Structures are given as structure tokens and as C-alpha cells.
Amino acid sequence: GAVVSQHPSRVICKSGTSVKIECRSLDFQATTMFWYRQFPKQSLMLMATSNEGSKATYEQGVEKDKFLINHASLTLSTLTVTSAHPEDSSFYICSASDPGADTQYFGPGTRLTVL
Amino acid sequence: SQKIEQNSEALNIQEGKTATLTCNYTNYSPAYLQWYRQDPGRGPVFLLLIRENEKEKRKERLKVTFDTTLKQSLFHITASQPADSATYLCALVWNRKLIWGLGTSLAVNP
């Protein structure tokens, strides 16, 4: 149980385009989902916390207009990187909390490369 | 400042031996701490959670200890196998968020 999927697993785009990443909890309903970014040999950095039906809470230093998060249902959250630039190239990982559990279950991640 | 530290050096051990990884934290008083495994290019996979009132927790070949006085957690893999080679991350929950260590890279040599 507690499976989280992410799509796409890998995306390459040109500078200035927008990229949408989907995160789905497959076998449980997640009231809260989290979006992380991880640079090589760095720890996971929390970008934002997404609650179903409400606005996401962004961490300090994360531009909410650049990283649009939508949590429209209990099983789906999306992250849109708008007007992507090469410095946005990173590994983006989502996670979902199983209500009543104290753990987060992670998706497989999305490797974004902006040319 | 608050921080969480793991063995910075990669750990190389021989198959069959016990691997011991360390996680130290300062200026937190977490209610629980978690260990995850991360393979290259993949998201973390949850392994074990240990609460502040638990001294030790086991799951198959894995054992975690939690010393709130020392502010330290130890993660043990007994009878290690090459398939255990990965990066192991500790994370503590603070203000409903996970705070992560950098991870320790473990290589188990056949």
C-alpha cells in the first residue's frame, strides 16, 4: 500500500516554457502533499505544502508565482514550473501523507532539464 | 541554529557485516525520527519510524535506536547485502515538516 506516482519521470524543455508535473496517491487519499527539490549531493529541500482544496504554503525563498501548485483532489497534486530557466533544472519529488500515519510516501521523482 | 547531521563519509563494508549509520541533531526536540533509503535518481523510500519514547525499533535486518539525551539515532543493517547499497537519509519531524540530513552513502562489497 501507500503508493505515490509521479509523471513525467523525465522532461527536457527549452528555456521559457512551462512544465507541469503530476503527483498521484494511488491507493489512499492524501489530504496533504509535499513538493521537494533535490540538487546533486544535496538534501531534499521542501518547496511547499499542498492541502486539498486550499492554497499551498510555500517555504521561504520559493516563488509561488513561479512554482504553481494545485491540489484539486485527494489523490492529485500538480506542480507547474512557469517560464522555466536552466537554474530550475533539478530533481523534483512529491510526497503524500496518509491520514492518520506519521510518515510521508514519496513518488519516484521527476528529472527536469531546462536547456 | 538547528541542524541534522549524518556520517559525511561514504561507508564501505563487506557483505555479511553490520552497517551502522549515525544521525545527530541539535536544537530540535522531535517527537519522532524516520529513516529512508534513496537510490540514485529515485525518490526516498520509507524504512522505519521511531518515537521519542522508544529506545529501539526493528524490522527484519534493520534496527534503529533513538537517544533523546544524546540527540542521536543509530541505524543498523545486519547481515548486509550488496542490494543494501544506497544512500540512507534520516529525517525528523518538526512543525509538521520533515527536516532532512544529507544522507550517508553505503556500499556493500560482495
Side-chain angles (χ1 to χ4, degrees), chain B residues 23 32 73:
Chain B
C23 178
Y32 50 90
S73 175

Side-chain angles (χ1 to χ4, degrees), chain A residues 76-87:
Chain A
L76 173 65
S77 177
T78 61
L79 167 68
T80 301
V81 183
T82 61
S83 186
H85 289 97
E87 58 266 30

Side-chain angles (χ1 to χ4, degrees), chain B residues 14-74:
Chain B
Q14 206 61 33
E15 181 175 8
K17 300 291 186 185
T18 296
T20 299
L21 285 65
T22 305
C23 178
N24 295 294
Y25 58 92
T26 57
N27 297 330
Y28 290 109
S29 295
Y32 50 90
L33 187 145
Q34 304 180 38
W35 284 87
Y36 287 78
R37 168 183 174 143
Q38 187 175 25
D39 290 283
R42 305 290 293 174
V45 174
F46 171 73
L47 296 175
L48 280 168
L49 178 153
I50 187 165
R51 300 182 188 282
E52 60 180 341
N53 61 348
E54 297 174 316
K55 296 291 185 189
E56 179 180 299
K57 200 142 196 196
R58 292 175 185 262
K59 179 183 175 183
E60 298 172 351
R61 294 184 295 112
L62 309 180
K63 184 178 85 171
V64 172
T65 63
F66 192 13
D67 188 326
T68 54
T69 302
L70 290 178
K71 294 187 179 293
Q72 181 181 77
S73 175
L74 298 178

Side-chain angles (χ1 to χ4, degrees), chain A residues 100-114:
Chain A
D102 295 321
T103 59
Q104 293 181 23
Y105 298 96
F106 285 81
T110 297
R111 173 72 59 190
L112 171 63
T113 303
V114 185

Side-chain angles (χ1 to χ4, degrees), chain A residues 9-99:
Chain A
S9 59
R10 187 181 296 267
V11 58
I12 301 172
C13 68
K14 292 182 179 179
S15 186
T17 60
S18 294
V19 174
K20 181 186 281 189
I21 303 170
E22 290 187 350
C23 177
R24 293 180 186 273
S25 57
L26 299 184
D27 50 2
F28 66 100
Q29 294 185 326
T31 52
T32 304
M33 287 184 170
F34 303 86
W35 287 96
Y36 293 84
R37 183 166 51 182
Q38 188 177 33
F39 293 105
K41 300 194 184 299
Q42 299 287 315
S43 63
L44 280 80
M45 290 179 52
L46 179 64
M47 299 175 66
T49 302
S50 167
N51 293 297
E52 187 265 338
S54 63
K55 290 183 179 180
T57 302
Y58 290 81
E59 294 301 300
Q60 192 173 10
V62 178
E63 299 175 58
K64 61 181 180 181
D65 294 330
K66 180 162 184 66
F67 298 100
L68 300 178
I69 291 172
N70 185 283
H71 194 159
S73 77
L74 286 171
T75 59
L76 173 65
S77 177
T78 61
L79 167 68
T80 301
V81 183
T82 61
S83 186
H85 289 97
E87 58 266 30
D88 298 323
S89 299
S90 188
F91 191 52
Y92 292 86
I93 314 172
C94 72
S95 71
S97 278
D98 188 348

